[in-house]
Amino acid sequence: MDFFTQNMTRLIANELEKKTGKRPYVIINRLHRSKLDANREVEHAAQGIEDAIQAWNNFSEFILKAKSEIETKMGRGLFFDIHGQSHPQMWLELGYVISPE
């Protein structure tokens, strides 16, 4: 488990709440990546393991529920996907997907 990333995520959420007065949704996958790679499609993420498939489904449902609530309450929102890397160069990767909608 990547505890540093979890702590960093909570710190970011706390700072966003201080700045905006609104608490962001925080969804943390506490399974090790060797058990469930939640950033992949379920076939690859869960490796055919029934418990991992259920965990992937639950994780995805939490995200969809949060997205729906945000759209209902705010109209739109911002999604951060924070996870650790093991680059020997200590890179920081920033990726984004912005749709024209």
XYZ file of all heavy atoms in Angstrom:
829
model
N 0.835 -1.173 0.000
C 0.000 0.000 0.000
C 0.886 1.245 0.000
O 1.922 1.272 0.639
C -0.895 -0.029 1.233
C -2.240 0.540 0.978
S -3.348 0.439 2.394
C -3.419 -1.300 2.706
N 0.444 2.270 -0.674
C 1.202 3.501 -0.808
C 0.662 4.525 0.184
O -0.180 5.342 -0.147
C 1.095 4.003 -2.250
C 1.969 5.199 -2.515
O 2.546 5.755 -1.564
O 2.069 5.587 -3.678
N 1.149 4.471 1.423
C 0.631 5.348 2.467
C 0.956 6.820 2.218
O 0.178 7.696 2.551
C 1.147 4.917 3.841
C 0.587 3.612 4.289
C 1.372 2.474 4.303
C -0.740 3.510 4.672
C 0.843 1.260 4.700
C -1.279 2.298 5.075
C -0.476 1.172 5.093
N 2.117 7.095 1.617
C 2.468 8.488 1.350
C 1.436 9.138 0.436
O 1.021 10.273 0.656
C 3.875 8.601 0.745
C 4.237 10.007 0.399
C 4.540 10.929 1.388
C 4.233 10.430 -0.924
C 4.851 12.240 1.075
C 4.546 11.729 -1.251
C 4.853 12.640 -0.245
N 1.026 8.416 -0.587
C 0.034 8.952 -1.513
C -1.302 9.164 -0.811
O -1.982 10.170 -1.039
C -0.123 8.022 -2.732
O 1.140 7.891 -3.362
C -1.111 8.569 -3.730
N -1.684 8.234 0.059
C -2.937 8.402 0.799
C -2.873 9.640 1.685
O -3.820 10.437 1.731
C -3.230 7.172 1.647
C -3.607 5.954 0.839
C -3.925 4.774 1.731
O -4.480 4.926 2.815
N -3.569 3.582 1.280
N -1.766 9.816 2.380
C -1.607 10.992 3.244
C -1.616 12.276 2.417
O -2.243 13.268 2.806
C -0.317 10.898 4.062
C -0.385 9.817 5.116
O -1.464 9.422 5.545
N 0.763 9.328 5.535
N -0.912 12.263 1.292
C -0.874 13.434 0.433
C -2.282 13.767 -0.078
O -2.680 14.932 -0.121
C 0.073 13.204 -0.746
C 0.206 14.417 -1.641
S 1.425 14.215 -2.946
C 0.781 12.820 -3.836
N -3.037 12.754 -0.443
C -4.404 12.963 -0.920
C -5.256 13.614 0.156
O -6.003 14.567 -0.115
C -5.023 11.619 -1.351
O -4.240 11.078 -2.410
C -6.465 11.784 -1.789
N -5.136 13.140 1.386
C -5.907 13.728 2.485
C -5.478 15.172 2.753
O -6.314 16.032 3.032
C -5.766 12.863 3.730
C -6.509 11.550 3.613
C -6.400 10.718 4.905
N -7.115 9.470 4.763
C -6.553 8.323 4.397
N -5.254 8.256 4.156
N -7.275 7.231 4.288
N -4.189 15.446 2.666
C -3.697 16.817 2.851
C -4.237 17.747 1.762
O -4.656 18.878 2.041
C -2.167 16.846 2.854
C -1.492 16.248 4.084
C 0.020 16.133 3.854
C -1.782 17.087 5.322
N -4.232 17.271 0.521
C -4.774 18.065 -0.588
C -6.261 18.337 -0.357
O -6.732 19.462 -0.532
C -4.538 17.364 -1.941
C -3.045 17.357 -2.275
C -5.353 18.022 -3.056
C -2.676 16.460 -3.442
N -7.002 17.308 0.051
C -8.435 17.471 0.314
C -8.661 18.495 1.426
O -9.548 19.353 1.320
C -9.065 16.129 0.681
N -7.864 18.433 2.479
C -7.991 19.388 3.585
C -7.722 20.814 3.115
O -8.429 21.749 3.492
C -7.045 19.022 4.728
C -7.449 17.745 5.434
O -8.592 17.293 5.337
N -6.511 17.140 6.134
N -6.686 20.994 2.296
C -6.352 22.327 1.790
C -7.436 22.857 0.859
O -7.780 24.037 0.918
C -4.992 22.318 1.084
C -3.827 22.189 2.031
C -3.763 23.306 3.060
O -3.913 24.491 2.682
O -3.570 22.996 4.254
N -7.967 21.987 0.003
C -9.055 22.422 -0.876
C -10.273 22.849 -0.066
O -10.935 23.841 -0.393
C -9.428 21.309 -1.860
C -8.442 21.076 -2.997
C -8.785 19.796 -3.747
C -8.425 22.259 -3.952
N -10.550 22.129 1.008
C -11.681 22.490 1.859
C -11.429 23.837 2.545
O -12.336 24.674 2.626
C -11.933 21.404 2.904
C -13.149 21.675 3.762
C -13.457 20.542 4.718
O -12.548 19.759 5.066
O -14.629 20.448 5.126
N -10.207 24.055 3.016
C -9.881 25.346 3.637
C -10.064 26.498 2.653
O -10.562 27.561 3.004
C -8.434 25.344 4.141
C -8.201 24.572 5.400
C -6.723 24.674 5.783
C -6.340 23.619 6.789
N -4.888 23.616 7.053
N -9.633 26.281 1.417
C -9.672 27.353 0.399
C -11.076 27.606 -0.137
O -11.415 28.736 -0.463
C -8.758 27.002 -0.773
C -7.319 26.835 -0.394
C -6.550 28.083 -0.659
C -5.082 27.816 -0.405
N -4.416 28.935 0.190
N -11.879 26.545 -0.263
C -13.182 26.679 -0.921
C -14.374 26.598 0.024
O -15.478 26.973 -0.352
C -13.360 25.577 -1.985
O -13.448 24.300 -1.329
C -12.225 25.586 -2.991
N -14.153 26.029 1.212
C -15.264 25.810 2.131
C -16.088 24.582 1.786
O -17.092 24.293 2.415
N -15.656 23.837 0.791
C -16.362 22.618 0.366
C -15.419 21.429 0.483
O -14.271 21.499 0.070
C -16.860 22.758 -1.061
C -17.824 23.919 -1.231
C -18.492 23.882 -2.557
C -19.372 25.067 -2.813
N -20.244 25.488 -1.787
N -15.929 20.355 1.046
C -15.128 19.149 1.215
C -15.161 18.324 -0.070
O -16.234 17.939 -0.542
C -15.665 18.303 2.371
C -14.871 17.058 2.668
C -13.589 17.388 3.359
N -12.769 16.192 3.524
C -11.487 16.236 3.809
N -10.891 17.394 3.987
N -10.800 15.139 3.935
N -14.004 18.039 -0.666
C -14.003 17.202 -1.871
C -14.290 15.740 -1.538
O -14.063 15.293 -0.419
C -12.586 17.360 -2.424
C -11.771 17.883 -1.316
C -12.686 18.524 -0.315
N -14.803 15.049 -2.510
C -14.963 13.609 -2.385
C -13.571 12.984 -2.458
O -12.770 13.357 -3.317
C -15.805 13.049 -3.529
C -17.261 13.417 -3.448
C -17.711 14.671 -3.849
C -18.199 12.502 -2.982
C -19.044 15.014 -3.784
C -19.540 12.834 -2.921
C -19.956 14.087 -3.313
O -21.283 14.415 -3.248
N -13.300 12.041 -1.582
C -12.025 11.326 -1.597
C -12.338 9.835 -1.622
O -13.016 9.326 -0.727
C -11.158 11.673 -0.364
C -9.879 10.842 -0.351
C -10.831 13.157 -0.338
N -11.874 9.161 -2.649
C -12.087 7.724 -2.805
C -10.710 7.084 -2.886
O -9.934 7.404 -3.780
C -12.910 7.415 -4.066
C -14.249 8.157 -4.009
C -13.111 5.901 -4.215
C -14.989 8.185 -5.324
N -10.409 6.199 -1.948
C -9.080 5.592 -1.881
C -9.203 4.082 -2.053
O -9.967 3.429 -1.332
C -8.388 5.927 -0.544
C -8.143 7.435 -0.464
C -7.083 5.147 -0.400
C -7.550 7.918 0.836
N -8.455 3.561 -3.001
C -8.355 2.117 -3.183
C -7.232 1.630 -2.267
O -6.072 1.928 -2.496
C -8.033 1.780 -4.643
C -7.726 0.317 -4.836
O -8.143 -0.532 -4.055
N -6.984 0.015 -5.876
N -7.572 0.893 -1.245
C -6.571 0.459 -0.270
C -5.991 -0.917 -0.578
O -5.230 -1.457 0.207
C -7.173 0.500 1.123
C -7.522 1.955 1.509
C -8.036 2.075 2.882
N -7.064 1.510 3.799
C -7.162 1.566 5.101
N -8.170 2.173 5.646
N -6.264 1.008 5.881
N -6.343 -1.466 -1.725
C -5.761 -2.741 -2.136
C -4.440 -2.502 -2.856
O -4.319 -1.546 -3.627
C -6.718 -3.492 -3.064
C -8.040 -3.919 -2.445
C -8.943 -4.532 -3.503
C -7.809 -4.897 -1.317
N -3.484 -3.357 -2.627
C -2.202 -3.249 -3.320
C -2.432 -3.445 -4.814
O -3.297 -4.217 -5.240
C -1.223 -4.304 -2.789
C 0.173 -4.099 -3.288
N 0.593 -4.540 -4.514
C 1.228 -3.470 -2.719
C 1.859 -4.206 -4.686
N 2.265 -3.549 -3.603
N -1.641 -2.753 -5.612
C -1.803 -2.810 -7.067
C -1.651 -4.231 -7.617
O -2.213 -4.564 -8.658
C -0.797 -1.864 -7.722
C -1.078 -1.636 -9.170
C -0.216 -0.526 -9.708
N -0.574 -0.270 -11.078
C -0.259 0.812 -11.733
N 0.426 1.749 -11.139
N -0.615 0.963 -12.978
N -0.897 -5.078 -6.941
C -0.769 -6.473 -7.387
C -2.070 -7.256 -7.207
O -2.266 -8.291 -7.830
C 0.370 -7.171 -6.636
O 0.053 -7.313 -5.257
N -2.958 -6.747 -6.362
C -4.264 -7.391 -6.142
C -5.353 -6.786 -7.014
O -6.267 -7.472 -7.443
C -4.684 -7.265 -4.667
C -3.696 -7.832 -3.692
C -3.567 -9.320 -3.836
C -2.603 -9.865 -2.797
N -2.203 -11.222 -3.071
N -5.264 -5.468 -7.243
C -6.256 -4.779 -8.056
C -5.636 -3.500 -8.605
O -5.263 -2.609 -7.855
C -7.500 -4.418 -7.236
C -8.566 -3.630 -7.998
C -9.210 -4.483 -9.079
C -9.605 -3.082 -7.056
N -5.546 -3.424 -9.908
C -5.057 -2.219 -10.569
C -6.278 -1.447 -11.057
O -6.731 -1.609 -12.184
C -4.130 -2.591 -11.728
C -3.465 -1.387 -12.353
O -3.821 -0.244 -11.983
O -2.596 -1.583 -13.211
N -6.805 -0.610 -10.195
C -8.094 0.038 -10.440
C -8.071 1.018 -11.612
O -9.127 1.443 -12.058
C -8.558 0.748 -9.169
N -6.913 1.367 -12.125
C -6.821 2.283 -13.260
C -6.903 1.559 -14.604
O -6.669 2.165 -15.634
C -5.522 3.088 -13.199
C -5.591 4.167 -12.159
O -6.181 3.983 -11.114
N -5.004 5.300 -12.436
N -7.188 0.289 -14.596
C -7.302 -0.504 -15.820
C -8.740 -0.988 -15.978
O -9.530 -0.952 -15.034
C -6.382 -1.727 -15.756
C -4.956 -1.402 -15.427
C -4.180 -1.139 -16.698
N -2.783 -0.915 -16.378
C -2.132 0.195 -16.677
N -2.737 1.173 -17.286
N -0.867 0.334 -16.373
N -9.045 -1.464 -17.172
C -10.347 -2.105 -17.383
C -10.416 -3.357 -16.514
O -9.394 -3.983 -16.225
C -10.542 -2.443 -18.858
C -10.683 -1.217 -19.742
C -11.885 -0.360 -19.367
O -12.944 -0.905 -19.025
O -11.744 0.872 -19.414
N -11.611 -3.738 -16.123
C -11.798 -4.802 -15.134
C -11.109 -6.110 -15.533
O -10.585 -6.822 -14.681
C -13.299 -5.014 -14.818
C -14.046 -5.596 -16.005
C -13.465 -5.886 -13.577
N -11.091 -6.438 -16.817
C -10.485 -7.701 -17.245
C -9.009 -7.763 -16.860
O -8.502 -8.804 -16.447
C -10.619 -7.892 -18.763
C -12.037 -7.960 -19.266
C -12.687 -6.589 -19.436
O -11.983 -5.576 -19.617
O -13.930 -6.543 -19.360
N -8.314 -6.642 -17.021
C -6.890 -6.587 -16.672
C -6.697 -6.244 -15.198
O -5.771 -6.738 -14.564
C -6.167 -5.555 -17.544
C -6.254 -5.860 -19.000
N -5.572 -6.901 -19.576
C -6.967 -5.275 -19.989
C -5.859 -6.942 -20.872
N -6.705 -5.975 -21.153
N -7.578 -5.395 -14.678
C -7.447 -4.911 -13.308
C -7.578 -6.030 -12.289
O -6.829 -6.086 -11.313
C -8.497 -3.846 -13.033
N -8.531 -6.927 -12.517
C -8.876 -7.934 -11.516
C -8.302 -9.314 -11.819
O -8.401 -10.215 -10.992
C -10.392 -8.031 -11.399
N -7.732 -9.490 -12.993
C -7.081 -10.746 -13.372
C -7.995 -11.966 -13.209
O -7.556 -13.062 -12.887
C -5.805 -10.947 -12.559
C -4.832 -9.795 -12.691
C -3.685 -9.912 -11.727
O -3.074 -10.968 -11.601
N -3.376 -8.817 -11.051
N -9.307 -11.749 -13.411
C -10.261 -12.843 -13.347
C -10.597 -13.323 -11.942
O -11.332 -14.293 -11.779
N -10.114 -12.649 -10.915
C -10.360 -13.048 -9.520
C -11.675 -12.405 -9.066
O -11.823 -11.182 -9.102
C -9.186 -12.625 -8.621
C -7.907 -13.298 -9.117
C -9.472 -12.958 -7.162
C -6.643 -12.717 -8.531
N -12.613 -13.245 -8.636
C -13.965 -12.779 -8.324
C -13.986 -11.660 -7.275
O -14.696 -10.663 -7.440
C -14.835 -13.956 -7.867
C -16.318 -13.658 -7.910
C -16.833 -13.264 -9.295
O -16.431 -13.859 -10.300
O -17.661 -12.335 -9.355
N -13.225 -11.806 -6.187
C -13.193 -10.752 -5.162
C -12.622 -9.454 -5.720
O -13.073 -8.364 -5.378
C -12.375 -11.192 -3.944
C -13.092 -12.237 -3.097
O -14.330 -12.359 -3.225
O -12.415 -12.915 -2.305
N -11.629 -9.551 -6.581
C -11.031 -8.357 -7.188
C -12.013 -7.708 -8.163
O -12.083 -6.474 -8.250
C -9.725 -8.714 -7.882
N -12.776 -8.517 -8.875
C -13.802 -7.983 -9.777
C -14.838 -7.203 -8.967
O -15.226 -6.090 -9.338
C -14.468 -9.114 -10.598
C -13.454 -9.711 -11.571
C -15.717 -8.599 -11.322
C -13.914 -11.007 -12.233
N -15.261 -7.762 -7.840
C -16.234 -7.077 -6.976
C -15.640 -5.781 -6.424
O -16.314 -4.747 -6.387
C -16.681 -7.983 -5.821
C -17.765 -7.360 -4.958
C -19.028 -7.052 -5.741
O -19.568 -7.905 -6.426
N -19.507 -5.819 -5.645
N -14.378 -5.817 -6.014
C -13.717 -4.604 -5.512
C -13.637 -3.543 -6.605
O -13.881 -2.354 -6.353
C -12.327 -4.940 -4.983
N -13.308 -3.947 -7.838
C -13.241 -3.010 -8.962
C -14.614 -2.391 -9.211
O -14.732 -1.188 -9.423
C -12.737 -3.724 -10.214
C -12.466 -2.819 -11.366
C -11.278 -2.226 -11.683
C -13.402 -2.398 -12.364
N -11.421 -1.459 -12.815
C -12.710 -1.544 -13.257
C -14.740 -2.649 -12.592
C -13.324 -0.949 -14.352
C -15.361 -2.052 -13.691
C -14.650 -1.218 -14.548
N -15.650 -3.235 -9.189
C -17.016 -2.735 -9.391
C -17.398 -1.739 -8.297
O -17.968 -0.680 -8.588
C -18.021 -3.888 -9.438
C -17.940 -4.676 -10.726
O -17.574 -4.149 -11.774
N -18.263 -5.949 -10.660
N -17.083 -2.064 -7.045
C -17.392 -1.158 -5.931
C -16.655 0.166 -6.085
O -17.242 1.241 -5.916
C -17.032 -1.797 -4.590
C -17.919 -2.963 -4.232
O -18.994 -3.158 -4.800
N -17.475 -3.770 -3.297
N -15.366 0.099 -6.399
C -14.550 1.296 -6.587
C -15.130 2.165 -7.700
O -15.307 3.383 -7.535
C -13.111 0.869 -6.910
C -12.124 1.996 -7.004
C -11.644 2.620 -5.869
C -11.657 2.411 -8.236
C -10.727 3.658 -5.951
C -10.730 3.442 -8.339
C -10.272 4.069 -7.190
N -15.474 1.539 -8.807
C -16.049 2.271 -9.943
C -17.395 2.889 -9.584
O -17.697 4.023 -9.986
C -16.194 1.343 -11.148
O -14.930 0.892 -11.557
N -18.203 2.166 -8.821
C -19.506 2.688 -8.403
C -19.356 3.895 -7.486
O -20.122 4.855 -7.581
C -20.327 1.593 -7.724
C -20.856 0.560 -8.704
C -21.509 -0.638 -8.012
O -21.903 -0.515 -6.828
O -21.614 -1.686 -8.657
N -18.366 3.866 -6.579
C -18.116 5.024 -5.714
C -17.797 6.253 -6.563
O -18.283 7.349 -6.306
C -16.958 4.759 -4.748
C -17.269 3.817 -3.623
C -16.383 2.813 -3.296
C -18.435 3.941 -2.876
C -16.649 1.937 -2.259
C -18.718 3.071 -1.835
C -17.819 2.065 -1.515
N -16.965 6.068 -7.580
C -16.586 7.183 -8.453
C -17.803 7.704 -9.207
O -18.031 8.922 -9.276
C -15.465 6.766 -9.416
C -14.176 6.502 -8.633
C -15.248 7.835 -10.490
C -13.070 5.854 -9.442
N -18.597 6.808 -9.774
C -19.788 7.229 -10.519
C -20.797 7.944 -9.624
O -21.413 8.936 -10.028
C -20.437 6.034 -11.206
C -19.637 5.423 -12.360
C -20.320 4.160 -12.871
C -19.444 6.429 -13.488
N -20.951 7.461 -8.388
C -21.868 8.107 -7.445
C -21.378 9.507 -7.106
O -22.162 10.471 -7.092
C -22.012 7.275 -6.177
C -22.976 7.868 -5.186
C -23.123 7.037 -3.940
C -24.093 7.732 -2.998
N -24.028 7.225 -1.651
N -20.088 9.642 -6.823
C -19.530 10.961 -6.519
C -19.699 11.896 -7.710
O -20.101 13.059 -7.548
C -18.054 10.833 -6.137
N -19.418 11.415 -8.899
C -19.558 12.225 -10.126
C -20.998 12.699 -10.283
O -21.249 13.877 -10.570
C -19.125 11.400 -11.331
C -19.214 12.141 -12.652
C -18.721 11.251 -13.792
C -18.722 11.980 -15.103
N -19.925 11.819 -15.873
N -21.947 11.803 -10.081
C -23.359 12.149 -10.214
C -23.765 13.211 -9.183
O -24.455 14.182 -9.518
C -24.209 10.896 -10.045
O -25.586 11.216 -10.066
N -23.336 13.035 -7.940
C -23.668 14.008 -6.894
C -23.045 15.369 -7.182
O -23.673 16.415 -6.977
C -23.236 13.488 -5.531
C -24.084 12.345 -5.036
C -23.659 11.811 -3.674
O -22.917 12.505 -2.948
O -24.080 10.695 -3.326
N -21.814 15.368 -7.669
C -21.140 16.627 -8.009
C -21.877 17.330 -9.137
O -22.119 18.543 -9.077
C -19.668 16.362 -8.378
C -18.882 15.944 -7.138
C -19.038 17.586 -9.039
C -17.538 15.319 -7.437
N -22.251 16.585 -10.177
C -22.968 17.186 -11.295
C -24.318 17.736 -10.852
O -24.730 18.809 -11.291
C -23.140 16.169 -12.421
C -21.839 15.865 -13.145
C -21.950 14.719 -14.130
O -22.904 13.918 -14.053
O -21.049 14.620 -14.985
N -25.006 17.022 -9.941
C -26.304 17.478 -9.448
C -26.155 18.741 -8.605
O -26.904 19.700 -8.768
C -26.983 16.367 -8.619
O -27.196 15.233 -9.462
C -28.308 16.829 -8.034
N -25.167 18.750 -7.713
C -24.999 19.874 -6.785
C -24.296 21.072 -7.411
O -24.618 22.215 -7.109
C -24.195 19.425 -5.562
C -24.907 18.440 -4.670
C -23.988 18.004 -3.526
C -24.638 16.940 -2.677
N -23.730 16.451 -1.629
N -23.295 20.809 -8.250
C -22.422 21.883 -8.715
C -22.472 22.127 -10.224
O -21.947 23.119 -10.700
C -20.966 21.573 -8.343
C -20.757 21.201 -6.900
S -21.109 22.548 -5.794
C -19.557 23.394 -5.849
N -23.004 21.178 -10.964
C -23.026 21.296 -12.416
C -21.829 20.627 -13.078
O -21.960 19.996 -14.108
N -20.668 20.793 -12.479
C -19.455 20.142 -12.971
C -18.414 20.143 -11.860
O -18.580 20.790 -10.834
C -18.921 20.819 -14.218
C -18.535 22.254 -14.018
C -18.083 22.860 -15.309
N -17.786 24.272 -15.103
C -17.229 25.025 -16.000
N -16.906 24.527 -17.167
N -16.983 26.288 -15.760
N -17.325 19.422 -12.098
C -16.295 19.326 -11.069
C -14.954 18.969 -11.668
O -14.794 18.891 -12.891
N -13.999 18.743 -10.803
C -12.634 18.418 -11.189
C -12.248 17.104 -10.536
O -12.490 16.900 -9.344
C -11.693 19.540 -10.725
C -10.222 19.398 -11.037
C -9.979 19.364 -12.550
C -9.450 20.561 -10.408
N -11.656 16.205 -11.310
C -11.300 14.870 -10.841
C -9.785 14.750 -10.787
O -9.110 15.011 -11.769
C -11.886 13.840 -11.817
C -11.533 12.422 -11.501
C -12.250 11.699 -10.569
C -10.487 11.801 -12.162
C -11.929 10.390 -10.296
C -10.154 10.494 -11.891
C -10.877 9.788 -10.957
N -9.252 14.390 -9.621
C -7.832 14.110 -9.455
C -7.643 12.614 -9.281
O -8.325 12.011 -8.463
C -7.263 14.795 -8.194
C -7.262 16.288 -8.230
C -8.305 17.008 -7.685
C -6.196 16.972 -8.796
C -8.300 18.383 -7.695
C -6.179 18.355 -8.809
C -7.236 19.062 -8.264
N -6.737 12.038 -10.017
C -6.371 10.623 -9.854
C -4.938 10.629 -9.326
O -3.995 10.842 -10.070
C -6.472 9.902 -11.189
C -6.069 8.433 -11.091
O -5.918 7.921 -9.973
O -5.908 7.814 -12.157
N -4.796 10.413 -8.034
C -3.487 10.518 -7.386
C -3.009 9.119 -7.027
O -3.687 8.396 -6.309
C -3.586 11.395 -6.128
C -4.083 12.790 -6.511
C -2.237 11.451 -5.403
C -4.420 13.664 -5.337
N -1.855 8.757 -7.552
C -1.271 7.473 -7.186
C 0.232 7.532 -7.340
O 0.778 8.376 -8.041
C -1.874 6.302 -7.982
C -1.849 6.481 -9.464
N -0.812 6.081 -10.250
C -2.758 7.032 -10.287
C -1.087 6.357 -11.515
N -2.253 6.941 -11.564
N 0.902 6.640 -6.634
C 2.359 6.640 -6.608
C 2.970 6.008 -7.842
O 2.321 5.278 -8.582
N 4.222 6.325 -8.059
C 5.028 5.745 -9.130
C 6.348 5.278 -8.511
O 6.709 5.694 -7.426
C 5.312 6.780 -10.228
C 4.098 7.274 -10.953
C 3.526 6.237 -11.909
O 4.162 5.258 -12.262
N 2.293 6.443 -12.317
N 7.060 4.465 -9.240
C 8.346 3.980 -8.723
C 9.477 4.297 -9.690
O 10.369 3.492 -9.906
C 8.278 2.476 -8.454
O 7.961 1.790 -9.648
N 9.432 5.481 -10.288
C 10.480 5.882 -11.212
C 11.782 6.130 -10.468
O 11.789 6.842 -9.460
C 10.100 7.173 -11.956
C 8.878 7.061 -12.798
N 8.775 6.161 -13.815
C 7.711 7.736 -12.765
C 7.589 6.293 -14.391
N 6.928 7.236 -13.767
N 12.887 5.590 -10.941
C 14.161 5.862 -10.272
C 14.572 7.333 -10.393
O 15.323 7.837 -9.566
C 15.159 4.951 -10.988
C 14.515 4.581 -12.283
C 13.026 4.679 -12.069
N 14.047 8.035 -11.390
C 14.383 9.444 -11.583
C 13.524 10.376 -10.722
O 13.660 11.582 -10.785
C 14.204 9.850 -13.060
C 15.108 9.121 -14.008
C 14.495 7.793 -14.464
O 13.424 7.387 -14.054
N 15.210 7.084 -15.318
N 12.598 9.802 -9.937
C 11.708 10.582 -9.074
C 10.877 11.586 -9.875
O 10.701 12.729 -9.501
C 12.506 11.301 -7.976
C 13.303 10.372 -7.078
S 12.277 9.175 -6.188
C 11.439 10.239 -5.049
N 10.364 11.160 -11.014
C 9.524 12.002 -11.851
C 8.195 12.299 -11.170
O 7.679 11.498 -10.405
C 9.195 11.310 -13.167
C 10.336 11.094 -14.090
C 11.550 11.720 -14.084
C 10.385 10.163 -15.156
N 12.341 11.242 -15.082
C 11.654 10.270 -15.767
C 9.497 9.238 -15.674
C 12.036 9.510 -16.858
C 9.874 8.485 -16.756
C 11.132 8.627 -17.340
N 7.645 13.402 -11.503
C 6.270 13.726 -11.155
C 5.506 13.766 -12.466
O 5.882 14.498 -13.379
C 6.192 15.087 -10.453
C 4.784 15.603 -10.200
C 4.055 14.700 -9.213
C 4.836 17.024 -9.685
N 4.479 12.944 -12.577
C 3.703 12.889 -13.813
C 2.383 13.610 -13.607
O 1.689 13.383 -12.633
C 3.433 11.441 -14.208
C 4.685 10.700 -14.587
C 4.389 9.311 -15.093
O 3.426 9.154 -15.871
O 5.106 8.397 -14.706
N 2.056 14.460 -14.534
C 0.794 15.174 -14.521
C 0.109 14.880 -15.848
O 0.625 15.200 -16.905
C 1.038 16.677 -14.365
C -0.184 17.570 -14.395
C -1.127 17.222 -13.251
C 0.232 19.021 -14.314
N -1.030 14.236 -15.753
C -1.785 13.910 -16.956
C -3.177 14.483 -16.831
O -3.673 14.693 -15.742
N -3.786 14.744 -17.939
C -5.150 15.261 -17.913
C -5.870 14.833 -19.186
O -5.266 14.636 -20.221
C -5.175 16.778 -17.749
C -4.332 17.517 -18.755
C -4.842 17.901 -19.983
C -2.997 17.801 -18.465
C -4.040 18.549 -20.916
C -2.196 18.457 -19.396
C -2.740 18.837 -20.610
O -1.956 19.482 -21.520
N -7.148 14.688 -19.030
C -8.008 14.382 -20.164
C -9.111 15.450 -20.132
O -9.899 15.499 -19.210
C -8.630 12.980 -20.043
C -9.565 12.716 -21.207
C -7.561 11.923 -19.949
N -9.087 16.295 -21.099
C -10.081 17.369 -21.167
C -10.915 17.139 -22.414
O -10.399 17.148 -23.516
C -9.404 18.757 -21.211
C -8.550 18.954 -19.953
C -10.451 19.849 -21.356
C -7.751 20.234 -19.953
N -12.194 16.943 -22.209
C -13.077 16.745 -23.358
C -13.615 18.100 -23.792
O -13.647 19.050 -23.002
C -14.215 15.796 -22.995
O -15.125 16.443 -22.149
N -14.063 18.210 -25.041
C -14.585 19.485 -25.518
C -15.957 19.826 -24.934
O -16.477 20.899 -25.161
C -14.652 19.288 -27.031
C -14.753 17.827 -27.228
C -13.998 17.206 -26.077
N -16.548 18.920 -24.176
C -17.900 19.147 -23.634
C -17.893 19.936 -22.365
O -17.144 19.895 -21.511
C -18.582 17.794 -23.406
C -18.703 17.046 -24.693
C -19.021 15.574 -24.466
O -19.341 15.155 -23.363
O -18.927 14.838 -25.457
